[in-house]
Amino acid sequence: MLHGLLNPVPPATSPDHKPGTPGGGSPRVSLVEITPEIEDAVRALRVAPGQEHFVSSVAHSFVEAAQAPEGKPWPRAVLLDDEPVGFLMMSWDVEPAPGLHGPYFLWKLLVDERRQRQGIGRAALAIVCQEVLDDGGRGLLTSCVPGEGSPQPFYEGLGFVPTGEVDEGEVVLRLDLSRFGTGATPTP
C-alpha cells in the first residue's frame, strides 16, 4: 500500500485499526462519504489564518461541486478515528477537456487548522493514491495558487511535479503513480 510513502498515520484500512477506542491504538485516518450525521462538523472545518487564499471553505467547495457536475465531484470527509478533521474532493475518472483536468484530479484538500502538521493530509493522499491505483489510474493531478504560504512545497515534497501548465493562475502538478504499481509499498 502507498501509505508507506506518504503516511505516518496509518489509514483505517490497516489491520490494527481500532476506531473510537480511546487509548486503544494509534489514531487512524480514513476517508468517508459525508453523511447528514457529520456534515455540520465537516462544514465547520477551517484552515489556518492566512491559508484562506489557497484553500476555499468546505461550503464553497460544495457550491463548486454543484456548479460543475461534469467534473464528477467525489467529496469525502477525512476522519481521524471517528472525528472529522479534514475535507477532500476529487474529480474521479473524468475525461479531460478544456477547463477539466483528469482522469483523476485532487480538487480540494483541507485539514482543519487544529490538526495540521500531524500527517493527516499525507495519510489522506496516500489513501486516494491507492484508490486511484486500484481503479487503474497511473497519475494524480492537482493544482494550487503559487506564492508565500502556498501548498505547492507540500505537494512537491510528496513527489508531485509541475506539468508546465497554469490554469486560471494555478500551477498544475502531477504525481506519477505508475512507478508504484498495484499493491506496491513505495518508500521515499
Side-chain angles (χ1 to χ4, degrees):
M1 289 192 16
L2 283 166
H3 69 271
L5 171 67
L6 304 174
N7 189 5
V9 180
T13 54
S14 165
D16 335 341
H17 178 56
K18 300 174 181 85
T21 50
S26 61
R28 304 288 183 240
V29 171
S30 60
L31 301 180
V32 299
E33 192 170 335
I34 300 169
T35 62
E37 293 80 19
I38 64 170
E39 184 175 345
D40 287 344
V42 173
R43 285 180 180 270
L45 299 169
R46 299 286 180 262
V47 294
Q51 294 177 335
E52 301 91 347
H53 175 69
F54 301 105
V55 182
S56 58
S57 70
V58 174
H60 186 263
S61 299
F62 287 152
V63 169
E64 285 182 287
Q67 292 174 342
E70 68 280 5
K72 297 184 183 177
W74 189 76
R76 293 294 183 264
V78 179
L79 301 185
L80 182 63
D81 285 330
D82 297 325
E83 176 192 356
V85 295
F87 171 77
L88 180 143
M89 188 163 71
M90 298 267 307
S91 283
W92 195 265
D93 199 19
V94 172
E95 187 67 36
L100 195 58
H101 298 283
Y104 303 96
F105 181 76
L106 177 64
W107 201 343
K108 304 286 178 185
L109 176 59
L110 178 155
V111 175
D112 189 76
E113 64 180 321
R114 298 165 295 153
R115 293 300 195 156
Q116 292 182 6
R117 301 197 179 279
Q118 297 176 25
I120 294 166
R122 291 175 191 272
L125 280 174
I127 295 167
V128 163
C129 289
Q130 190 63 58
E131 292 283 337
V132 168
L133 277 171
D134 291 349
D135 199 51
R138 293 293 171 245
L140 177 62
L141 293 165
T142 194
S143 66
C144 59
V145 175
E148 183 69 31
S150 169
Q152 188 170 346
F154 167 77
Y155 290 121
E156 289 177 343
L158 298 175
F160 282 84
V161 295
T163 65
E165 182 181 356
V166 176
D167 184 23
E168 296 184 16
E170 295 193 8
V171 175
V172 178
L173 302 130
R174 183 176 190 277
L175 179 62
D176 181 7
L177 299 175
S178 64
R179 62 190 170 123
F180 301 130
T182 304
T185 305
T187 56

